[in-house]
Amino acid sequence: MKQLKQIYAALEIASHEIRLVVGEFHESRFNVLRVERTRCSGVAHKEIVDEQAVVAAIIKLITKSSHALGYKIERVLVAIPAIGVERAAKRVSVPLEEGSKRVRLSHIQMGINEAVSYKPGDDVELVNIGCIKYITNGITSRKMPIGEICDVLTMNVDLLYAKKEIVYAYARCVEKAGLEIMDICLDAYAMAEEAAVFEQTVDKYVIQVDLDRQDTTLSLFTHGKLVSCEVLDSGYGKWLTDLKEAFGFPSDVGFRLLKNNLTFAKDMEEDAVIYLWNEEKVTKQLTMKQLYDCVKDDVDAWINAVNEACAPIVETGDGRYLMCGEGMEIQGLAERMGDFNALAKVYVPQIIGARDCSLAVCLGLFYNWKEQLEIRSDDRICANIRDITNGTQIGKRRATDDEGSFTKRLKSMLLSEK
């Protein structure tokens, strides 16, 4: 039997842009097929403030990506901001029928359906089914006990909820853009899937720090579970604002300068010129020291805010930080990891075609969906399979001609003309 294509699209509505990653699971590998992003000003501190602008940006993004791939993207996995996250642990028991007494997939599905029927309040909506532990004959396991013989299957299910108004606002924008939502997932949870955070929390706390332009999301993980999330009202956008006020740089220029030139090294070349521009026919220049002086206090304040917020966890002695998010593209921040009040390291995705800290959430959406496929009977993909089959050659041809495509950049690195 021919293996079905497993091509999916992941969408994140971030604070200043919308990101889309299209990828395919092929045998044991995951391949990135397309990465697109477009600016959007319709989001403020993770809340939709201009629905029309967000919908228009999504349509633009999907249209461009569909044209490049050669088939229309119809369905997406969607990230939901981790605001007002509530966690509930439900324990359910599923008696097995007389006869074989063997656990089947249908029994697990029954248990999950019973667990998700619980709702802690009218102002929240279920977003994620987290850690599931199965108990058969007194033995606990995270592996589905398909085929095990027992009288009763007991399941401990973690349920994660987010603010209902936030979930509905994001979903409404996606659906108004003409897309079907295959699944939703908390952005913090998806990022943890990509960074393999759950596997690191068997015997310690991990605080995932997502540095975004407008906010910083702190997510606490332990024993393979997402315990809580807190959003700090400060991001690297303040650093960009200071650069704009001091030198007049637009946000994209400011971020590029911070990303590639900011350093906190003591032996920096203070007078090294890193940027030249013309203003009213006068040539101006920016030195490495000027860039450092402009944002140093902001960076110090941000580190102090994270340390203060996480102090109660760190004081237990078992906490550590995993630094993620678009802000971690600012390479100089790696030099400041020693200033946090616990061990800290930066996480950068290593998937070819998506080695960018800002894409961690989109990448994690794929793995979250993949895990659920073991339980769900869902063979939907991001597009019509006939369109994908018919558009493969068109997509390859367009990708080759597209100067912005990853395909051409990769070929330019690996091949040389004879």
Side-chain angles (χ1 to χ4, degrees):
M1 183 177 178
K2 187 176 180 180
Q3 186 179 18
L4 295 175
K5 286 186 177 293
Q6 293 182 301
I7 301 177
Y8 307 106
L11 181 76
E12 181 188 11
I13 302 173
S15 60
H16 64 99
E17 66 179 11
I18 299 178
R19 302 160 187 152
L20 177 77
V21 177
V22 181
E24 178 183 21
F25 287 103
H26 181 68
E27 296 178 349
S28 61
R29 296 180 58 189
F30 175 73
N31 301 313
V32 172
L33 303 179
R34 191 77 187 176
V35 174
E36 293 285 357
R37 59 180 77 199
T38 189
R39 293 182 184 178
C40 180
S41 58
V43 181
H45 296 288
K46 299 185 181 295
E47 293 189 9
I48 305 294
V49 295
D50 188 343
E51 184 178 278
Q52 188 175 356
V54 174
V55 172
I58 294 174
I59 292 174
K60 177 182 177 181
L61 198 69
I62 294 296
T63 301
K64 185 177 180 180
S65 186
S66 297
H67 176 76
L69 291 167
Y71 48 82
K72 182 181 178 181
I73 296 173
E74 301 176 350
R75 305 172 192 88
V76 291
L77 306 170
V78 181
I80 302 295
I83 299 179
V85 174
E86 293 186 22
R87 173 178 168 266
K90 296 300 293 180
R91 186 182 181 96
V92 297
S93 297
V94 181
L96 274 61
E97 306 87 350
E98 293 294 335
S100 69
K101 292 288 186 178
R102 290 186 181 275
V103 178
R104 299 193 299 271
L105 179 60
S106 59
H107 295 130
I108 294 174
Q109 292 171 335
M110 289 170 58
I112 291 177
N113 288 337
E114 181 180 343
V116 300
S117 64
Y118 171 78
K119 195 169 184 178
D122 294 332
D123 60 338
V124 295
E125 194 69 34
L126 178 66
V127 180
N128 277 94
I129 298 175
C131 176
I132 303 175
K133 291 185 178 180
Y134 306 93
I135 304 173
T136 56
N137 300 316
I139 300 174
T140 302
S141 174
R142 292 190 181 183
K143 183 179 179 181
M144 289 192 296
I146 302 295
E148 291 286 336
I149 299 175
C150 61
D151 293 324
V152 178
L153 169 64
T154 302
M155 299 169 57
N156 291 330
V157 184
D158 250 33
L159 304 173
L160 297 170
Y161 301 82
K163 284 187 177 180
K164 186 175 182 177
E165 58 181 312
I166 297 291
V167 176
Y168 278 46
Y170 275 68
R172 189 164 53 245
C173 288
V174 176
E175 291 177 342
K176 282 190 174 182
L179 295 169
E180 177 185 344
I181 299 175
M182 293 179 64
D183 192 30
I184 58 177
C185 179
L186 291 174
D187 53 7
Y189 195 94
M191 182 175 285
E193 287 276 21
E194 161 59 24
V197 171
F198 297 104
E199 292 78 2
Q200 303 175 40
T201 60
V202 176
D203 58 351
K204 59 179 174 289
Y205 293 102
V206 172
I207 303 167
Q208 180 177 273
V209 181
D210 177 6
L211 174 58
D212 198 13
R213 182 165 294 191
Q214 297 179 354
D215 314 277
T216 299
T217 302
L218 306 175
S219 306
L220 176 62
F221 296 84
T222 186
H223 295 97
K225 300 175 183 180
L226 171 58
V227 178
S228 63
C229 293
E230 179 182 347
V231 179
L232 302 182
D233 190 19
S234 61
Y236 73 85
K238 174 65 167 60
W239 315 348
L240 301 182
T241 299
D242 287 351
L243 281 173
K244 184 174 183 178
E245 291 177 351
F247 304 103
F249 299 145
S251 296
D252 56 341
V253 173
F255 182 68
R256 190 167 67 247
L257 288 169
L258 290 176
K259 176 181 176 180
N260 299 317
N261 298 283
L262 179 63
T263 180
F264 295 90
K266 294 181 180 180
D267 59 347
M268 75 167 77
E269 297 181 38
E270 297 185 0
D271 297 328
V273 177
I274 57 175
Y275 191 65
L276 294 171
W277 74 100
N278 287 320
E279 189 174 304
E280 297 180 354
K281 297 183 179 180
V282 176
T283 300
K284 296 190 175 183
Q285 62 185 30
L286 177 74
T287 66
M288 187 176 293
K289 183 65 163 52
Q290 287 176 312
L291 181 65
Y292 166 86
D293 288 338
C294 188
V295 301
K296 180 186 180 299
D297 290 343
D298 290 334
V299 175
D300 289 344
W302 174 73
I303 292 174
N304 290 336
V306 172
N307 284 341
E308 183 178 346
C310 300
I313 302 300
V314 171
E315 287 171 1
T316 66
D318 295 325
R320 61 187 61 191
Y321 295 103
L322 188 66
M323 318 303 292
C324 310
E326 184 179 39
M328 287 301 115
E329 283 293 304
I330 300 174
Q331 299 171 25
L333 291 179
E335 300 167 6
R336 299 297 304 273
M337 293 301 102
D339 295 326
F340 288 93
N341 54 3
L343 180 66
K345 65 177 181 179
V346 177
Y347 176 77
V348 181
Q350 295 300 306
I351 296 176
I352 294 177
R355 289 176 176 169
D356 190 311
C357 294
S358 65
L359 299 177
V361 170
C362 284
L363 295 174
L365 289 173
F366 292 104
Y367 295 114
N368 180 66
W369 177 252
K370 184 71 171 178
E371 281 190 3
Q372 295 184 54
L373 287 181
E374 295 183 26
I375 299 175
R376 293 187 179 191
S377 298
D378 195 334
D379 59 0
R380 292 177 299 165
I381 56 176
C382 71
N384 185 297
I385 187 62
R386 291 183 179 178
D387 291 344
I388 290 178
T389 302
N390 295 335
T392 299
Q393 294 304 320
I394 297 175
K396 287 182 179 179
R397 197 157 55 244
R398 285 175 178 163
T400 302
D401 296 336
D402 185 355
E403 291 292 342
S405 71
F406 172 72
T407 304
K408 187 160 187 175
R409 294 202 304 273
L410 180 63
K411 289 176 69 176
S412 69
M413 289 187 288
L414 300 181
L415 303 178
S416 59
E417 294 184 4
K418 294 182 178 181

